[in-house]
Each structure stands twice: as C-alpha cells, then as structure tokens.
C-alpha cells in the first residue's frame, strides 16, 4: 500500500517537473534567440540611424509601458492561478476586460502626445505616441488561449509565435531604416510586430475562441484580484521604467538613446529571468502549494539556485567586457554606453537575491501583500536613484539602485516567509557572491566611469 501510494505521488511530480523543465527550455531558448535577433538588428540600426532615434523610441516605450502597467488588470496572472482558469465564461470575461482596456489606453496615449512632447522637448512624440499606441489595442485583443497555454506550461508554440512576429518586425524595421534613415522605421516595426503576433495567436493556437461576454462573478473576481495588481503595476512601472522617466528630464534625447543602448545590453540577463518567471513560476508555485509534499518545494529551490546563478554569471560577464564590447560593435558616437553597461550590471547583481519571491504571493492569490512589497521597493528605489543622481550624476543614480536592493530586503524576506518560500541559504550565498565581481568590474573600468561623474 505504501509503495503504491509513493508511486502515485511521485508520478504527478515527475510529470509536472518535466513540464517545468520543458517550459524552461522553450522560454530560455526562445528568449536567447529573440534577444539575439534584437541585438543583431540593433547593431544594423545603429549604423543606419542616429542616437536620437533610439532616445525617441525609449520615450515612446516608457510612455506606452507606463500606460500598460498603470492599468494592469492582472488578467494573465488571474488565468494562470485561478481555479476557474479553464472556464469559458471566466476566459471570455477576461478577454472582454483586456480588449476594452487596450482601446482606452490607446485613447489616453493620443491625449498624452502633446503634453509628453512638451515635457521632454521632443515634438516628434506628437505623432509617434498615437501611432505607437495602436500596439496597445493589439495587445488587448490577444486571445486568452495564450495565457491558458502558459497556465499549463505548454509554451512551445507560444514562443514560436513570439519569435516569428519579432523576426517579421525586425525585417520591416531594417528595410525601412535602410531606405528612409528615419525613426519612423522603428515605429513601423513595433506596429508590424504587434499585428503579426496577434494574427498568428488567433490562427495558430488551439483553444477557446473568445467573444465579447461578461460574467458577473468572473468579473468581480478578476477586478478584486486585479485591483491590487493594478496598484502594484503602478509601482512596478517605477521599478522598471523609472530610471528612463527621470533621466529623460535631465539628459538630452541623444544621451538617453546612448543610455538605452547600454540598458538593453546590460539588462539582458535580468530580462531573461523576468521572462522565465512570468511564464513558469506562478504555475510552478501553484502546483507546489497544492501538492504540499515537499518534493515540488525542493525542486523549485534548486531551479531558483540555477536561475540566479546563471543570471549572475551573465551580469558578471557584461560588467567585465562592457566597454570593450561597445568599442568593438559600435562607432564612437556610442562610446559612453560602455561604462554605463558596467554600472548597470553591477547595480542589478544584488537585486537578483529576491527575484522570484513576489511570484509565490501571486500563485497564492495574495495580490495585496504583493502590492505592498512592490510599493516599498519602488519608493525606496526612486528615493535612492534621485538622491544618488543629485549627488553624483548617473553613476550615483545607479549606485542608489544597488543600495535600494539592500534596504528593501527585510520587507521582501517577510513576504517570502509568509508564503513559505524564503530560502536564506540562497540569499546569503548570492549576496556574498555578488561582491567580488562588483568590486573587480568597477576597479577594472574606473578610468572610463570617472569622467561620467559631475
């Protein structure tokens, strides 16, 4: 009897972990291919265009991302963790909510075009924002079968669609940049990518064909869970985009474009971790909490160790080779991006320690505690970033980000203890491991960092 019971409990675990590992392979492999395509196109576009074009796109992305995050209803997270995540009425209600949100966000983007052009002294935003904002409508029209596939860790076709649409958008961008040498090539690429992705999601993914509908109970549950997600995403915007929003007020569009090039390269490892977390960890933690047999817990802890170690290794490499990489790949107009890569990579190493804890709260459906942790992190990081910038310019601002990661650790650890996923051995190990590469990279490249000080 005991042996049979053991077999019954181990088989689902093995099946689940095989799905996790397969999902991790699809996600990480697809992410690397996608970022590789972006990097290759970035090199080509840097020669066809000018730094100001990348600065304008950074401002457009900041506004559109801000609108998306400030109105986040948590539909993907709800579908991935909710007990009704496969229910037709629940899914159609979620799709209706997402579609309406996309249309409203586009209208807001149109309304913001003139004020943002005035604030950032970039008149091009008057036309870029309304057109680029159409991508928000496409995002809202995405079928819920995308999130259903993520709920069940069936990620192969979803990742294939993302890569194919990205390749189509890049081809359009490069072609138009070669012909017209204008920032409009970048805007067109964004729209073509969104349209191609939306078309393939509806045509190639199996599952429910969404229609406009509203189930009162489903709507109430989505809005209850999503209310805290929306508030969390407002602070999440500050965490992920606050640096560019603040720097855009102090740097020229050209300098902001150089910073954006550096950010793209340096943030690559962290973005990979965020991508894997969003697709894997909510379903993984949901299974762990449901099973309560300890086996999922141990395997997820090992997965987390591997994820953190991989990302920290990649950040270390970028911190050490950043200036040489920029000198080799770009022309002299982008030289300042080299030391900026070093500083961003070093600043992000300490943030890895708490990278996955918030996903456990969402897997439990505890969006309220998730909100408070994100709010604390965003507030502390903004204060440290602005204070550092006032004292020592861009280097001081990035140092402030690193200091903020240390200051917010007690609040994040408390959330992790509450959800039962706190791993103090992991946190102590990687906190200590980060110190050596940070010190080495800053010492090695200090002659190039020092001129950036005021």
């Amino acid at each position: 009897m005991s042996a049979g019971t053991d077999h019954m409990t181990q088989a689902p675990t093995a099946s689940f972990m095989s799905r996790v590992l397969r999902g991790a392979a699809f996600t990480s492999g697809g992410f690397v291919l996608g970022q590789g395509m972006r990097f290759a196109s970035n090199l080509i576009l840097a020669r066809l265009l000018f730094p100001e074009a990348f600065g304008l796109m950074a401002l457009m992305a900041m506004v559109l991302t801000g609108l998306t995050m400030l109105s986040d209803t948590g539909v993907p997270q709800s579908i991935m963790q909710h007990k009704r995540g496969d229910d037709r009425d629940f899914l159609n209600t979620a799709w209706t909510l997402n579609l309406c949100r996309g249309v409203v966000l586009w209208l807001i983007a149109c309304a913001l075009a003139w004020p943002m052009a005035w604030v950032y002294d970039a008149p091009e935003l008057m036309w870029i924002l309304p057109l680029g904002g159409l991508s928000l409508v496409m995002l809202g029209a995405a079928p819920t079968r995308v999130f259903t596939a993520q709920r069940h860790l069936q990620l192969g076709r979803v990742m294939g669609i993302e890569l194919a649409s990205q390749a189509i958008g890049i081809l359009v961008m490069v072609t138009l940049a070669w012909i017209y040498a204008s920032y409009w090539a970048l805007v067109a690429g964004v729209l073509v990518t969104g349209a191609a992705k939306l078309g393939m999601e509806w045509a190639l993914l199996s599952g429910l064909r969404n229609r406009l509908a509203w189930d009162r109970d489903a709507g109430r549950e989505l809005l209850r869970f999503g209310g805290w997600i929306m508030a969390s995403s407002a602070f999440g915007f500050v965490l992920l985009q606050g640096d560019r929003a603040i720097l855009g007020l102090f740097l020229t569009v050209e300098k902001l474009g150089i910073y954006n090039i550096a950010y793209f390269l340096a943030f690559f490892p962290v973005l990979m971790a965020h991508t894997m977390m969003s697709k894997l960890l909510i379903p993984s933690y949901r299974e762990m909490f449901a099973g309560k047999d300890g086996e999922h817990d141990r395997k997820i802890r090992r997965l987390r160790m591997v994820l953190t170690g991989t990302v920290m290794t990649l950040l270390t490499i970028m911190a050490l080779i950043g200036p040489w990489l920029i000198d080799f790949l770009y022309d002299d107009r982008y030289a300042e991006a080299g030391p900026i890569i070093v500083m961003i990579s070093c600043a992000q190493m300490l943030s890895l320690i708490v990278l996955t804890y918030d996903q456990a709260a969402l897997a439990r459906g505890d969006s309220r505690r998730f909100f408070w942790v994100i709010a604390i992190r965003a507030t502390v990081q903004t204060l440290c970033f602005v204070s550092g910038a006032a004292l020592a310019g861009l280097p001081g601002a990035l140092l402030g980000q690193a200091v903020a990661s240390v200051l917010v650790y007690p609040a994040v650890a408390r959330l992790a203890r509450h959800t039962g996923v706190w791993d103090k051995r992991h946190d102590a190990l990687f906190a200590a491991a980060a110190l050596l590469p940070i010190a080495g990279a800053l010492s090695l490249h200090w002659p190039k960092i020092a001129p950036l000080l005021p």
Side-chain angles (χ1 to χ4, degrees):
M1 186 71 173
S2 175
T5 302
D6 289 343
H7 174 74
M8 292 296 291
T9 57
Q10 289 173 10
T13 299
S15 174
F16 167 71
M17 288 311 299
S18 67
R19 282 186 287 133
V20 171
L21 294 175
R22 188 166 59 249
F26 278 127
T27 303
S28 59
F31 179 84
V32 170
L33 286 173
Q35 291 300 102
M37 287 191 292
R38 282 187 64 192
F39 179 55
S41 68
N42 187 280
L43 290 177
I44 298 171
L45 292 168
R47 286 161 173 76
L48 296 175
L49 300 175
F50 38 89
E52 291 86 349
F54 296 100
L56 289 170
M57 289 304 294
L59 290 173
M60 185 191 82
M62 183 265 295
V63 173
L64 298 185
T65 302
L67 289 175
T68 302
M69 297 184 73
L70 291 171
S71 64
D72 189 357
T73 53
V75 165
Q77 297 93 329
S78 293
I79 292 174
M80 282 191 280
Q81 65 85 30
H82 201 278
K83 61 184 178 181
R84 293 185 63 188
D86 294 312
D87 178 78
R88 176 182 296 271
D89 292 336
F90 187 87
L91 292 173
N92 280 328
T93 302
W95 182 76
T96 301
L97 182 63
N98 246 11
L99 179 61
C100 293
R101 169 177 167 256
V103 174
V104 170
L105 289 182
W106 174 67
L107 294 174
I108 295 174
C110 293
L112 286 176
W114 182 83
M116 297 306 293
W118 177 76
V119 168
Y120 289 104
D121 192 24
E124 297 89 349
L125 290 176
M126 279 285 293
W127 307 105
I128 291 176
L129 279 178
L131 283 173
L134 290 172
S135 63
L136 300 177
V137 180
M138 300 174 196
L139 188 64
T144 57
R145 62 191 78 166
V146 176
F147 312 125
T148 300
Q150 293 173 357
R151 173 183 172 88
H152 297 290
L153 296 172
Q154 298 168 349
L155 303 177
R157 188 167 294 184
V158 173
M159 186 57 64
I161 289 172
E162 290 184 6
L163 291 173
S165 60
Q166 184 177 336
I168 293 170
I170 287 173
L171 180 62
V172 169
M173 271 193 290
V174 171
T175 301
L176 293 179
W178 178 59
I179 296 173
Y180 298 107
S182 168
Y183 59 83
W184 285 112
L186 303 181
V187 179
V190 170
L191 294 176
V192 169
T193 299
K197 183 180 179 185
L198 179 63
M200 286 188 282
E201 286 171 343
W202 277 94
L204 301 179
L205 291 178
S206 60
L208 176 69
R209 299 195 68 83
N210 295 115
R211 60 179 180 83
L212 291 171
W214 190 261
D215 179 273
R216 183 177 300 177
D217 291 337
R220 186 183 303 115
E221 292 180 44
L222 284 163
L223 292 174
R224 179 193 61 79
F225 181 81
W228 288 108
I229 293 292
M230 186 181 298
S232 304
S233 294
F235 287 100
F237 166 72
V238 176
L239 279 174
L240 296 178
Q241 296 283 333
D243 56 343
R244 277 156 286 184
I246 294 169
L247 292 174
L249 298 173
F250 299 101
L251 300 179
T252 64
V253 174
E254 178 183 3
K255 295 292 185 184
L256 186 63
I258 292 172
Y259 176 84
N260 206 50
I261 293 284
Y263 184 89
F264 165 70
L265 293 171
F267 206 69
F268 160 78
V270 181
L271 187 59
M272 179 180 69
H274 279 292
T275 302
M276 295 185 67
M277 283 165 39
S278 65
K279 296 181 186 299
L280 295 175
L281 283 181
I282 290 181
S284 298
Y285 279 130
R286 188 187 72 239
E287 293 275 352
M288 184 186 86
F289 297 145
K292 298 179 181 178
D293 61 359
E295 185 61 22
H296 289 321
D297 182 22
R298 288 188 291 274
K299 290 186 176 181
I300 289 175
R301 285 174 186 263
R302 288 198 293 269
L303 180 65
R304 187 165 175 258
M305 281 277 192
V306 172
L307 178 62
T308 307
T310 301
V311 176
M312 185 166 289
T313 300
L314 293 173
L315 282 174
T316 299
I317 293 171
M318 291 305 301
L320 292 174
I321 71 169
W324 302 322
L325 187 65
I326 291 295
D327 290 342
F328 177 71
L329 296 174
Y330 293 87
D331 59 51
D332 292 343
R333 295 175 297 169
Y334 300 92
E336 285 188 1
I340 295 174
I341 287 178
V342 178
M343 293 185 290
I344 293 175
S345 298
C346 291
Q348 292 300 321
M349 286 187 196
L350 293 176
S351 71
L352 297 180
I353 298 168
V354 299
L355 197 58
T356 63
Y357 285 149
D358 50 3
Q359 301 299 306
L362 291 180
R364 280 198 183 278
D366 193 351
S367 54
R368 182 175 65 85
R369 279 190 172 85
F370 173 77
F371 159 74
W372 284 113
V373 168
I374 296 297
I376 291 170
R377 288 180 62 195
T379 301
V380 173
Q381 178 172 294
T382 301
L383 291 173
C384 291
F385 190 87
V386 173
S387 299
L391 292 172
L394 181 57
L398 295 173
L399 174 61
Q401 282 188 334
V403 171
S405 298
V406 177
L407 295 179
V408 301
Y409 179 78
V412 182
R414 183 177 180 182
L415 173 72
R417 283 198 299 269
H418 177 81
T419 51
V421 298
W422 187 42
D423 187 350
K424 57 186 177 183
R425 185 181 66 170
H426 165 280
D427 298 353
L429 173 65
F430 285 104
L435 298 179
L436 182 60
I438 290 174
L442 293 177
S443 299
L444 178 64
H445 297 297
W446 186 253
K448 292 193 174 184
I449 295 172
L452 298 179
L453 292 166

